Amino acid sequence: MNIFKQLGKSLYSPKDIATFRFQGIGKTILYVFFLTLISLLPSFYYLSSGLINGINEVRDSIKNELPPFQIENGELQSEHEAPIILNKGKFTIIFDSTGTYDTDLLKNSDKTIAILKHDAYFIAGGQVQSLPYTMFSTIPLTNEDLLDLLATVDSSFAVIIPLMAVVIFIFASGMKFIEVSILALLGLFLKKILHRNLHYRHTWRLAAYSVTLPTIFFTIMDCLQTTVPNGVLINWFVANILLFLTIKEIPQPKK
């Protein structure tokens, strides 16, 4: 059975998932990578489109709406004495050289670029990217210098966006493998309850396919940009139920 058919079967059929316990571990690992890639497609899209639109908005705002400033010794310096928040349609730009803006507020924001006292933040597609000013050289950066830098970044998007996507994919794959491994350990507990003859290598394969349904569900929610309350609990609950039903489909060993 190819990987696409396995994906379809894993959405609704514990009986079919149970048959995957004997397949090669390489194919199961490939499936986890494939599932991770699918789950990240909405984030990749919103991140790339948000980055492109955000850079354009920031460039226009620096030219026309933000006060004169410079970045020197790792700090944003300006004579403006209060934070500035600009709502640009679906995008928000925050400028604060005073250090009074609470960065915890950024966790609940989306499509936002924040130019703060010590760092710049970019939030889009559920991803938060930060850029500390200490990464720049010791030479002060003014408005005009930053506009030139943004023009350079804009021309480098063909390289920057794929690199960011690769880094996010590697990190997300690691988290998915940890999720599957923990679920497989719970599978050992379930197999004792159900009196099934399984080893960890079997429950790991079953766990890899049991996470398919919640992963696809939350991918659809990401496409719709809809937040699901208690998403982590729902994810683990559905995956555990599906793993339980899968192990239950495995015949009991003959006495």
Side-chain angles (χ1 to χ4, degrees), residues 189-216:
F189 175 73
L190 295 175
K191 70 103 174 181
K192 288 184 178 181
I193 295 176
L194 297 171
H195 306 291
R196 297 304 194 269
N197 185 20
L198 294 172
H199 299 286
Y200 182 75
R201 63 180 183 274
H202 299 131
T203 59
W204 199 92
R205 291 176 174 90
L206 298 179
Y209 291 94
S210 297
V211 300
T212 301
L213 180 59
T215 298
I216 296 301

CSV table of all heavy atoms in Angstrom, one decimal, residues 189-216:
chain,number,residue,atom,x,y,z
A,189,PHE,N,1.1,0.2,27.5
A,189,PHE,CA,0.1,0.1,28.6
A,189,PHE,C,-1.2,-0.4,28.1
A,189,PHE,O,-1.9,-1.3,28.7
A,189,PHE,CB,-0.1,1.5,29.2
A,189,PHE,CG,-1.1,1.5,30.3
A,189,PHE,CD1,-0.9,0.9,31.5
A,189,PHE,CD2,-2.3,2.2,30.1
A,189,PHE,CE1,-1.9,1.0,32.5
A,189,PHE,CE2,-3.3,2.2,31.0
A,189,PHE,CZ,-3.1,1.6,32.3
A,190,LEU,N,-1.6,0.1,26.9
A,190,LEU,CA,-2.9,-0.4,26.3
A,190,LEU,C,-2.9,-1.8,25.9
A,190,LEU,O,-3.9,-2.5,26.1
A,190,LEU,CB,-3.3,0.5,25.1
A,190,LEU,CG,-3.6,2.0,25.4
A,190,LEU,CD1,-3.8,2.7,24.1
A,190,LEU,CD2,-4.8,2.1,26.3
A,191,LYS,N,-1.8,-2.3,25.4
A,191,LYS,CA,-1.7,-3.7,25.0
A,191,LYS,C,-1.7,-4.6,26.2
A,191,LYS,O,-2.2,-5.8,26.0
A,191,LYS,CB,-0.4,-3.9,24.1
A,191,LYS,CG,0.9,-3.8,24.9
A,191,LYS,CD,1.5,-5.2,25.1
A,191,LYS,CE,2.9,-5.1,25.8
A,191,LYS,NZ,3.5,-6.4,26.0
A,192,LYS,N,-1.3,-4.2,27.4
A,192,LYS,CA,-1.4,-5.0,28.5
A,192,LYS,C,-2.9,-5.1,29.0
A,192,LYS,O,-3.4,-6.2,29.4
A,192,LYS,CB,-0.6,-4.4,29.7
A,192,LYS,CG,0.9,-4.6,29.5
A,192,LYS,CD,1.7,-4.1,30.7
A,192,LYS,CE,3.2,-4.4,30.5
A,192,LYS,NZ,4.0,-3.9,31.7
A,193,ILE,N,-3.6,-4.0,28.9
A,193,ILE,CA,-5.0,-4.0,29.2
A,193,ILE,C,-5.8,-4.9,28.3
A,193,ILE,O,-6.7,-5.6,28.7
A,193,ILE,CB,-5.6,-2.5,29.2
A,193,ILE,CG1,-4.9,-1.7,30.2
A,193,ILE,CG2,-7.1,-2.5,29.3
A,193,ILE,CD1,-5.3,-0.2,30.2
A,194,LEU,N,-5.5,-4.8,27.0
A,194,LEU,CA,-6.2,-5.6,26.0
A,194,LEU,C,-5.6,-7.0,25.8
A,194,LEU,O,-6.2,-7.8,24.9
A,194,LEU,CB,-6.2,-4.8,24.7
A,194,LEU,CG,-6.9,-3.5,24.7
A,194,LEU,CD1,-6.7,-2.7,23.4
A,194,LEU,CD2,-8.4,-3.7,25.0
A,195,HIS,N,-4.5,-7.3,26.5
A,195,HIS,CA,-3.9,-8.6,26.4
A,195,HIS,C,-3.5,-9.0,24.9
A,195,HIS,O,-3.9,-10.0,24.4
A,195,HIS,CB,-4.9,-9.7,26.9
A,195,HIS,CG,-5.4,-9.4,28.3
A,195,HIS,ND1,-4.6,-9.5,29.4
A,195,HIS,CD2,-6.6,-9.1,28.8
A,195,HIS,CE1,-5.3,-9.2,30.5
A,195,HIS,NE2,-6.5,-8.9,30.1
A,196,ARG,N,-2.8,-8.1,24.3
A,196,ARG,CA,-2.3,-8.3,23.0
A,196,ARG,C,-0.8,-8.5,23.0
A,196,ARG,O,-0.1,-7.9,23.9
A,196,ARG,CB,-2.6,-7.1,22.1
A,196,ARG,CG,-4.1,-6.9,21.8
A,196,ARG,CD,-4.8,-8.1,21.3
A,196,ARG,NE,-6.1,-7.8,20.8
A,196,ARG,CZ,-7.3,-7.8,21.5
A,196,ARG,NH1,-7.2,-8.1,22.8
A,196,ARG,NH2,-8.4,-7.6,21.0
A,197,ASN,N,-0.3,-9.3,22.1
A,197,ASN,CA,1.2,-9.6,22.1
A,197,ASN,C,1.9,-8.7,21.2
A,197,ASN,O,2.0,-8.9,20.0
A,197,ASN,CB,1.4,-11.1,21.6
A,197,ASN,CG,2.8,-11.5,21.7
A,197,ASN,OD1,3.6,-10.9,22.4
A,197,ASN,ND2,3.2,-12.5,20.9
A,198,LEU,N,2.3,-7.5,21.7
A,198,LEU,CA,3.0,-6.5,20.9
A,198,LEU,C,4.3,-6.0,21.6
A,198,LEU,O,4.4,-6.1,22.9
A,198,LEU,CB,2.1,-5.3,20.8
A,198,LEU,CG,0.8,-5.4,20.0
A,198,LEU,CD1,-0.1,-4.2,20.1
A,198,LEU,CD2,1.1,-5.7,18.5
A,199,HIS,N,5.2,-5.6,20.8
A,199,HIS,CA,6.4,-5.0,21.4
A,199,HIS,C,6.4,-3.5,21.0
A,199,HIS,O,5.6,-3.0,20.3
A,199,HIS,CB,7.7,-5.7,20.8
A,199,HIS,CG,7.7,-7.2,21.1
A,199,HIS,ND1,8.1,-7.7,22.3
A,199,HIS,CD2,7.5,-8.3,20.3
A,199,HIS,CE1,8.1,-9.0,22.3
A,199,HIS,NE2,7.7,-9.4,21.1
A,200,TYR,N,7.4,-2.8,21.6
A,200,TYR,CA,7.5,-1.4,21.4
A,200,TYR,C,7.6,-1.0,19.9
A,200,TYR,O,7.0,-0.1,19.4
A,200,TYR,CB,8.7,-0.8,22.2
A,200,TYR,CG,8.8,0.7,22.0
A,200,TYR,CD1,7.9,1.6,22.7
A,200,TYR,CD2,9.7,1.3,21.2
A,200,TYR,CE1,8.0,2.9,22.6
A,200,TYR,CE2,9.8,2.7,21.1
A,200,TYR,CZ,8.9,3.5,21.7
A,200,TYR,OH,9.0,4.9,21.6
A,201,ARG,N,8.4,-1.8,19.1
A,201,ARG,CA,8.5,-1.5,17.7
A,201,ARG,C,7.2,-1.6,17.0
A,201,ARG,O,7.0,-0.9,16.0
A,201,ARG,CB,9.5,-2.5,17.1
A,201,ARG,CG,9.1,-4.0,17.1
A,201,ARG,CD,10.2,-4.9,16.4
A,201,ARG,NE,9.8,-6.3,16.4
A,201,ARG,CZ,10.0,-7.1,17.4
A,201,ARG,NH1,10.5,-6.7,18.5
A,201,ARG,NH2,9.6,-8.4,17.2
A,202,HIS,N,6.3,-2.5,17.5
A,202,HIS,CA,4.9,-2.6,16.9
A,202,HIS,C,4.1,-1.3,17.3
A,202,HIS,O,3.4,-0.7,16.4
A,202,HIS,CB,4.2,-3.8,17.3
A,202,HIS,CG,4.9,-5.1,16.9
A,202,HIS,ND1,5.2,-6.1,17.8
A,202,HIS,CD2,5.5,-5.5,15.7
A,202,HIS,CE1,5.9,-7.1,17.2
A,202,HIS,NE2,6.0,-6.7,16.0
A,203,THR,N,4.1,-1.0,18.6
A,203,THR,CA,3.3,0.1,19.0
A,203,THR,C,3.8,1.5,18.4
A,203,THR,O,3.0,2.4,18.2
A,203,THR,CB,3.2,0.2,20.5
A,203,THR,OG1,4.6,0.4,21.0
A,203,THR,CG2,2.6,-1.0,21.2
A,204,TRP,N,5.1,1.5,18.1
A,204,TRP,CA,5.6,2.8,17.5
A,204,TRP,C,5.0,2.9,16.1
A,204,TRP,O,4.6,4.0,15.7
A,204,TRP,CB,7.1,2.7,17.5
A,204,TRP,CG,7.8,4.1,17.3
A,204,TRP,CD1,8.2,4.9,18.3
A,204,TRP,CD2,8.0,4.7,16.0
A,204,TRP,NE1,8.7,6.1,17.7
A,204,TRP,CE2,8.6,6.0,16.4
A,204,TRP,CE3,7.8,4.4,14.7
A,204,TRP,CZ2,8.9,6.9,15.4
A,204,TRP,CZ3,8.1,5.3,13.7
A,204,TRP,CH2,8.7,6.6,14.1
A,205,ARG,N,5.0,1.8,15.4
A,205,ARG,CA,4.4,1.9,14.0
A,205,ARG,C,2.9,2.3,14.1
A,205,ARG,O,2.5,3.1,13.3
A,205,ARG,CB,4.6,0.6,13.3
A,205,ARG,CG,6.1,0.2,13.0
A,205,ARG,CD,6.2,-1.2,12.4
A,205,ARG,NE,7.5,-1.5,11.9
A,205,ARG,CZ,8.4,-2.1,12.6
A,205,ARG,NH1,8.2,-2.4,13.9
A,205,ARG,NH2,9.6,-2.3,12.1
A,206,LEU,N,2.2,1.6,15.0
A,206,LEU,CA,0.8,1.9,15.1
A,206,LEU,C,0.6,3.4,15.6
A,206,LEU,O,-0.4,4.0,15.1
A,206,LEU,CB,0.2,1.0,16.2
A,206,LEU,CG,0.2,-0.5,15.8
A,206,LEU,CD1,-0.4,-1.4,16.9
A,206,LEU,CD2,-0.5,-0.8,14.5
A,207,ALA,N,1.4,3.9,16.5
A,207,ALA,CA,1.3,5.2,17.0
A,207,ALA,C,1.5,6.2,15.8
A,207,ALA,O,0.8,7.3,15.7
A,207,ALA,CB,2.2,5.5,18.1
A,208,ALA,N,2.4,5.9,14.9
A,208,ALA,CA,2.7,6.8,13.8
A,208,ALA,C,1.5,7.1,12.9
A,208,ALA,O,1.3,8.2,12.4
A,208,ALA,CB,3.9,6.3,13.0
A,209,TYR,N,0.7,6.0,12.8
A,209,TYR,CA,-0.5,6.1,11.9
A,209,TYR,C,-1.7,6.6,12.7
A,209,TYR,O,-2.6,7.2,12.2
A,209,TYR,CB,-0.8,4.8,11.3
A,209,TYR,CG,0.2,4.4,10.2
A,209,TYR,CD1,1.3,3.6,10.5
A,209,TYR,CD2,0.2,4.9,8.9
A,209,TYR,CE1,2.3,3.3,9.6
A,209,TYR,CE2,1.1,4.6,8.0
A,209,TYR,CZ,2.2,3.8,8.3
A,209,TYR,OH,3.2,3.5,7.4
A,210,SER,N,-1.7,6.4,14.1
A,210,SER,CA,-2.8,6.9,14.9
A,210,SER,C,-2.9,8.4,15.0
A,210,SER,O,-3.9,8.9,15.4
A,210,SER,CB,-2.7,6.2,16.3
A,210,SER,OG,-2.8,4.8,16.2
A,211,VAL,N,-1.7,9.0,14.8
A,211,VAL,CA,-1.7,10.5,14.9
A,211,VAL,C,-2.2,11.2,13.7
A,211,VAL,O,-2.3,12.4,13.6
A,211,VAL,CB,-0.3,11.1,15.3
A,211,VAL,CG1,0.1,10.5,16.6
A,211,VAL,CG2,0.7,10.8,14.2
A,212,THR,N,-2.6,10.4,12.7
A,212,THR,CA,-2.9,11.0,11.4
A,212,THR,C,-4.2,11.8,11.5
A,212,THR,O,-4.3,13.0,11.0
A,212,THR,CB,-3.2,9.9,10.3
A,212,THR,OG1,-2.0,9.1,10.2
A,212,THR,CG2,-3.6,10.5,9.0
A,213,LEU,N,-5.3,11.3,12.1
A,213,LEU,CA,-6.5,12.0,12.1
A,213,LEU,C,-6.4,13.3,12.8
A,213,LEU,O,-6.9,14.3,12.3
A,213,LEU,CB,-7.6,11.1,12.8
A,213,LEU,CG,-9.0,11.7,13.0
A,213,LEU,CD1,-9.6,12.1,11.6
A,213,LEU,CD2,-9.9,10.7,13.7
A,214,PRO,N,-5.9,13.4,14.1
A,214,PRO,CA,-5.8,14.7,14.7
A,214,PRO,C,-4.9,15.7,14.0
A,214,PRO,O,-5.1,16.9,13.9
A,214,PRO,CB,-5.3,14.4,16.1
A,214,PRO,CG,-4.7,13.1,16.0
A,214,PRO,CD,-5.4,12.3,15.0
A,215,THR,N,-3.8,15.1,13.3
A,215,THR,CA,-2.9,16.0,12.6
A,215,THR,C,-3.6,16.6,11.4
A,215,THR,O,-3.4,17.8,11.1
A,215,THR,CB,-1.7,15.2,12.1
A,215,THR,OG1,-1.0,14.7,13.2
A,215,THR,CG2,-0.7,16.0,11.3
A,216,ILE,N,-4.3,15.8,10.6
A,216,ILE,CA,-5.0,16.4,9.5
A,216,ILE,C,-6.1,17.4,9.9
A,216,ILE,O,-6.3,18.4,9.3
A,216,ILE,CB,-5.6,15.2,8.6
A,216,ILE,CG1,-4.5,14.4,8.0
A,216,ILE,CG2,-6.5,15.8,7.5
A,216,ILE,CD1,-3.5,15.1,7.2
